[in-house]
Amino acid sequence: MKCKGTLKEYRVIGRKLPTESEPVTPLYRMRIFATDQIVAKSRFWYFLRQLRKFKKTTGEIVSVEEIRERKPLKIKNFGIWLRYDSRSGTHNMYREYRDLTVSAAITQCYRDMGARHRARAHAIQIIRCEVVEAGKCRRPLVTQMHDSKISFPLACRVQKQGGGLTQANRPATYFQ
């Protein structure tokens, strides 16, 4: 999977095709983060092949819908549980990010994992993602923003003397 641009959250529902021996098959719903619907469907089949004994040729996608954030203007803390394949093995990890939407936090996570651990997008699997309240946050990069009196002072303000209009003078090049 390539992780270009921002990721979106999709709800993909699929099932095994009904046969004579099994006329009613169960539906499987997954929450997938992908760049578009085509990648979301592909990731759905990738994960379902690992979980159940059927694949794209013996199954069908019932629906794919993009999930929008309920409150996209409210800042939230997100806890993300993931696993990724490194050069030495497979690792589980919990990370925290502070963002406006789930998809932006997941995008931030993919970028961060690439930068800190050299993990490629295809090697990362998001297990769970949920909003974490401020008191339960563990990571200092997130908790440092929880101060109610937080301020961002401008350290080097330069006060300019005189008026706002600057007048250019002709340079004096003749000296005695």
Side-chain angles (χ1 to χ4, degrees):
M1 175 176 107
K2 292 222 187 287
C3 188
K4 284 187 169 182
T6 56
L7 296 172
K8 297 172 192 157
E9 184 181 358
Y10 291 96
R11 182 186 296 124
V12 184
I13 302 171
R15 66 175 185 162
K16 192 175 185 177
L17 284 171
T19 58
E20 289 179 12
S21 60
E22 196 180 6
V24 179
T25 55
L27 293 171
Y28 297 99
R29 182 181 68 196
M30 273 189 208
R31 183 181 178 195
I32 304 281
F33 295 96
T35 48
D36 56 2
Q37 282 194 357
I38 295 154
V39 178
K41 285 192 233 179
S42 173
R43 294 300 281 174
F44 174 79
W45 289 122
Y46 169 77
F47 290 124
L48 206 64
R49 261 197 323 267
Q50 293 177 346
L51 297 169
R52 297 285 178 261
K53 201 174 170 72
F54 69 95
K55 51 189 181 176
K56 187 178 178 180
T57 54
T58 58
E60 66 178 348
I61 300 266
V62 176
S63 78
V64 180
E65 50 191 24
E66 187 181 336
I67 299 171
R68 304 268 183 200
E69 189 74 27
R70 284 203 183 105
K71 294 184 178 177
L73 298 175
K74 183 183 177 234
I75 192 87
K76 295 171 273 299
N77 307 309
F78 293 99
I80 299 171
W81 287 262
L82 59 98
R83 72 184 269 212
Y84 77 101
D85 297 321
S86 71
R87 294 179 183 124
S88 59
T90 305
H91 311 281
N92 292 321
M93 197 177 277
Y94 169 75
R95 304 186 72 80
E96 283 178 356
Y97 296 97
R98 194 169 159 82
D99 218 312
L100 295 170
T101 62
V102 184
S103 42
I106 295 288
T107 305
Q108 196 179 336
C109 179
Y110 271 91
R111 303 284 181 266
D112 196 38
M113 288 296 294
R116 291 179 196 269
H117 301 280
R118 300 292 184 265
R120 308 293 184 263
H122 65 83
I124 300 171
Q125 296 177 7
I126 305 295
I127 297 168
R128 197 166 114 206
C129 177
E130 59 185 42
V131 177
V132 181
E133 59 187 63
K136 300 248 172 109
C137 287
R138 303 181 221 169
R139 304 291 185 255
L141 270 167
V142 174
T143 54
Q144 71 182 356
M145 297 293 174
H146 293 163
D147 185 12
S148 61
K149 296 188 179 99
I150 193 167
S151 63
F152 302 97
L154 297 169
C156 191
R157 278 305 274 265
V158 178
Q159 293 291 337
K160 298 197 175 183
Q161 301 294 326
L165 190 69
T166 307
Q167 184 181 0
N169 295 327
R170 189 165 179 267
T173 56
Y174 179 74
F175 301 105
Q176 282 185 339

